Amino acid sequence: MKKVIPSEIETETVASPKGDFQIQRQHVSLALGGIKDKGPWANGHPFDIELATLPPGKKNWPLHAHAAQTEFYIILSGTGLVFDSTDSPTEIGPGDHFVFCPGESHQIMNDSASDLVYYVIADQNPVDITTYPNTGKRMLKPQGECIYPTEADYYTGEE
């Protein structure tokens, strides 16, 4: 058994050029010996675990849907909104659990004055296609490699 303490895991900050999107990520599964973007087919873990902190006023990622990946969320602290393919966002807070299955669009926004902290657990698929409904972009991800079929920066048209 391998054990990690989240406070000892390095934090990665990802932010968009204009600042609408920003997230701090702690890659729990990597700290436990997983391999980035590699599942059991490449001697990695069957799922990826991430402890995420979303600062006030920020969104985690552009609205998107995965063709193959399922993501399970557990809210630890803070409040926010989850956007999906419906017209109305859903309020979230501590203790909430929710899942997005393949094909379901999703995005989280922190609309409060304090950090929104949550775990996301995602299964590892050898291939996934991510669709961005607001811009029509697609990203292909064969075995961890991100490929955009047309030349487009990740945040183009998203903010």
Side-chain angles (χ1 to χ4, degrees), residues 64-78:
H64 65 282
H66 300 278
Q69 187 176 66
T70 299
E71 294 178 348
F72 175 70
Y73 293 81
I74 304 168
I75 306 301
L76 300 178
S77 64

Side-chain angles (χ1 to χ4, degrees), residues 90-109:
T90 301
E91 294 181 359
I92 55 172
D96 287 346
H97 295 226
F98 49 95
V99 66
F100 285 101
C101 296
E104 295 179 330
S105 297
H106 54 282
Q107 177 186 61
I108 298 176
M109 178 182 174

Side-chain angles (χ1 to χ4, degrees), residues 5-72:
I5 300 169
S7 62
E8 297 176 358
I9 299 172
E10 183 179 335
T11 299
E12 169 194 31
T13 299
V14 179
S16 64
K18 294 182 181 177
D20 288 352
F21 306 95
Q22 181 180 331
I23 189 167
Q24 287 132 13
R25 310 162 76 187
Q26 292 174 276
H27 299 283
V28 176
S29 52
L30 296 182
L32 288 168
I35 304 168
K36 183 169 176 48
D37 294 325
K38 303 293 182 190
W41 72 91
N43 298 316
H45 292 171
F47 44 80
D48 183 49
I49 304 167
E50 180 178 292
L51 179 57
T53 301
L54 194 56
K58 302 298 180 182
K59 300 171 190 168
N60 61 345
W61 308 107
L63 184 70
H64 65 282
H66 300 278
Q69 187 176 66
T70 299
E71 294 178 348
F72 175 70

